[in-house]
């Protein structure tokens, strides 16, 4: 028993000694790194200095700018002085610039032309009007006219020409709204240098299209999406346009008459195909979701199978006989027909 007690006493003594040693053991604290804040601060200052001198290569900026629309260009010009200078000045190589817009709103076609005529009588304002490059109607369906003023409008436009306008945007809040035909028939006369026109959601007849393409010989791009009136599948309305490069007519209507049946003949009449009357310079065509109206006899439009075959033949023949300038075509071609045509015309990008 004594031995056991002695052992216990020794154990207690050793425990107390170890505990005291632990108390006296010096604490090792992690040394603080002097200058952490100053180094971080210096790094941030260096980054700011580098950023202030950072300069994208102009060629890269020009490539980015070339893909932007007017709204995006205006937003980008606010990012930095460098971008603002490139976009707003005559930077060599930059073809996509912010263009001044002449925006029109109102309810009277006659009043619109009267205001223009008044401004053209003043030499200073006449000069300012020539600087605009885009004419845009906020809602062209709101402008109304009457037959009594048609002759007066034709006389007025003889003294009005906005030679700076190269793009015309006619918009409508609904494709069901009619637009004053007198406005559409007279606009081409005051825009002789027009290169691009957008009729999307505008309800107009083929005579209007003929008037624009006959009166504006420099027209290169035509957009007319969501039009409930019809176009001739041959491109008859556009036959006088020698410079037309781009056609966008999605969700619109083509009419095919009896005399147009050769347009779907894949074995004969290779010179007669869709848009053959206006295709000399075509590069880009989009006619997706088209509606087709066939005037080929009683109940033909009710035969869906025959219609589908005929539509595909028309599209196939166009791709096969399109001019070598064509490099992009979006339509309702079936996947199998697109695969076949890619082998025949690899230079044309085909899309749905």
């Amino acid at each position: 028993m004594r031995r056991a007690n002695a052992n216990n006493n020794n154990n207690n003594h050793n425990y107390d000694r170890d505990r005291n040693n632990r108390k006296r053991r010096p604490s090792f604290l992690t040394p603080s790194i002097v200058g952490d804040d100053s180094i971080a601060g210096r790094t941030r200052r260096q980054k700011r200095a580098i950023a202030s001198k950072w300069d994208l290569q102009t060629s890269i900026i020009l490539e980015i700018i070339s893909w932007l629309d007017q709204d995006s260009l205006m937003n980008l010009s606010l990012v930095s002085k460098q971008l603002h200078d490139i976009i707003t000045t005559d930077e060599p190589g930059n073809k996509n610039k912010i263009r001044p817009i002449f925006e029109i709103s109102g309810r009277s076609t006659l009043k619109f032309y009267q205001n223009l005529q008044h401004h053209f009588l003043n030499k200073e304002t006449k000069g300012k009007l020539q600087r605009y490059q885009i004419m845009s109607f906020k809602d062209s369906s709101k402008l109304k006219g009457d037959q009594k003023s048609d002759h007066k409008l034709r006389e007025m436009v003889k003294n009005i020409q906005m030679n700076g306008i190269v793009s015309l945007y006619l918009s409508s809040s609904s494709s069901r709204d009619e637009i004053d035909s007198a406005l559409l028939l007279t606009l081409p006369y005051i825009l002789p240098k027009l290169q691009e026109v957008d009729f999307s959601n505008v309800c107009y007849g083929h005579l209007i299209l003929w008037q624009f393409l006959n009166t504006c010989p420099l027209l290169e791009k035509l957009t007319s999406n969501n039009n409930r009136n019809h176009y001739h599948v041959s491109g008859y309305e556009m036959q006088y346009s020698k410079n037309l490069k781009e056609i966008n007519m999605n969700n619109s209507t083509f009419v095919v008459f009896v005399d147009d049946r050769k347009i779907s003949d894949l074995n004969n009449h290779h010179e007669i195909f869709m848009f053959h009357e206006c295709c000399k310079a075509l590069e880009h065509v989009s006619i997706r979701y088209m509606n087709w109206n066939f005037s080929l006899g009683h109940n033909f439009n009710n035969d869906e199978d025959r219609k589908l075959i005929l539509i595909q033949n028309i599209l196939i023949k166009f791709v096969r006989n399109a001019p070598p300038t064509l490099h992009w075509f979006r339509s309702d071609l079936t996947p199998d027909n697109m695969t076949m045509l890619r082998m025949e015309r690899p230079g044309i990008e085909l899309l749905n």
Side-chain angles (χ1 to χ4, degrees), residues 62-73:
L62 293 178
E63 177 63 24
I64 295 171
I65 290 174
S66 68
W67 293 92
L68 302 180
D69 57 21
Q70 287 292 298
D71 290 338
S72 299
L73 278 177

Side-chain angles (χ1 to χ4, degrees), residues 19-56:
R19 187 175 61 180
N20 291 333
N21 288 337
R22 283 197 299 271
K23 287 182 179 180
R24 290 192 297 270
R25 186 177 297 162
S27 59
F28 294 96
L29 300 176
T30 304
S32 62
I33 301 175
V34 179
D36 265 0
D37 293 339
S38 61
I39 292 173
R42 186 169 67 248
T43 303
R44 285 192 292 269
R45 286 194 298 273
Q46 288 174 344
K47 288 181 178 179
R48 284 196 295 268
I50 293 172
S52 65
K53 297 178 181 179
W54 178 64
D55 185 12
L56 274 176

Side-chain angles (χ1 to χ4, degrees), residues 155-179:
E155 291 298 317
M156 292 173 67
V157 297
K158 292 180 180 179
N159 300 315
I160 301 172
Q161 281 200 343
M162 299 183 69
N163 295 313
I165 300 293
V166 294
S167 300
L168 171 64
Y169 297 102
L170 287 154
S171 66
S172 176
S173 56
S174 172
S175 60
R176 294 185 295 271
D177 294 335
E178 296 284 346
I179 293 182

Side-chain angles (χ1 to χ4, degrees), residues 53-93:
K53 297 178 181 179
W54 178 64
D55 185 12
L56 274 176
Q57 292 184 12
T58 303
S59 59
I60 298 176
I61 296 177
L62 293 178
E63 177 63 24
I64 295 171
I65 290 174
S66 68
W67 293 92
L68 302 180
D69 57 21
Q70 287 292 298
D71 290 338
S72 299
L73 278 177
M74 286 187 280
N75 290 332
L76 185 62
S77 68
L78 302 176
V79 172
S80 71
K81 185 178 184 301
Q82 179 194 7
L83 292 171
H84 180 271
D85 291 342
I86 291 176
I87 294 171
T88 59
T89 60
D90 294 327
E91 176 70 31

Side-chain angles (χ1 to χ4, degrees), residues 233 254 256 263-264 266 274 287 290-294 296 300-301 303-318 329 331-334 337:
V233 69
F254 277 151
V256 181
I263 284 178
S264 62
L266 297 179
M274 183 176 66
I287 53 168
M290 289 298 293
N291 302 301
W292 296 79
N293 183 10
F294 293 94
L296 301 177
F300 183 88
N301 284 294
D303 191 336
E304 293 299 325
D305 291 337
R306 289 181 65 191
K307 281 180 62 176
L308 288 175
I309 293 173
L310 198 59
I311 291 169
Q312 290 299 308
N313 286 346
I314 291 173
L315 298 175
I316 290 170
K317 190 171 185 181
F318 171 71
F329 181 52
S331 68
D332 297 319
L333 276 167
T334 64
N337 286 335

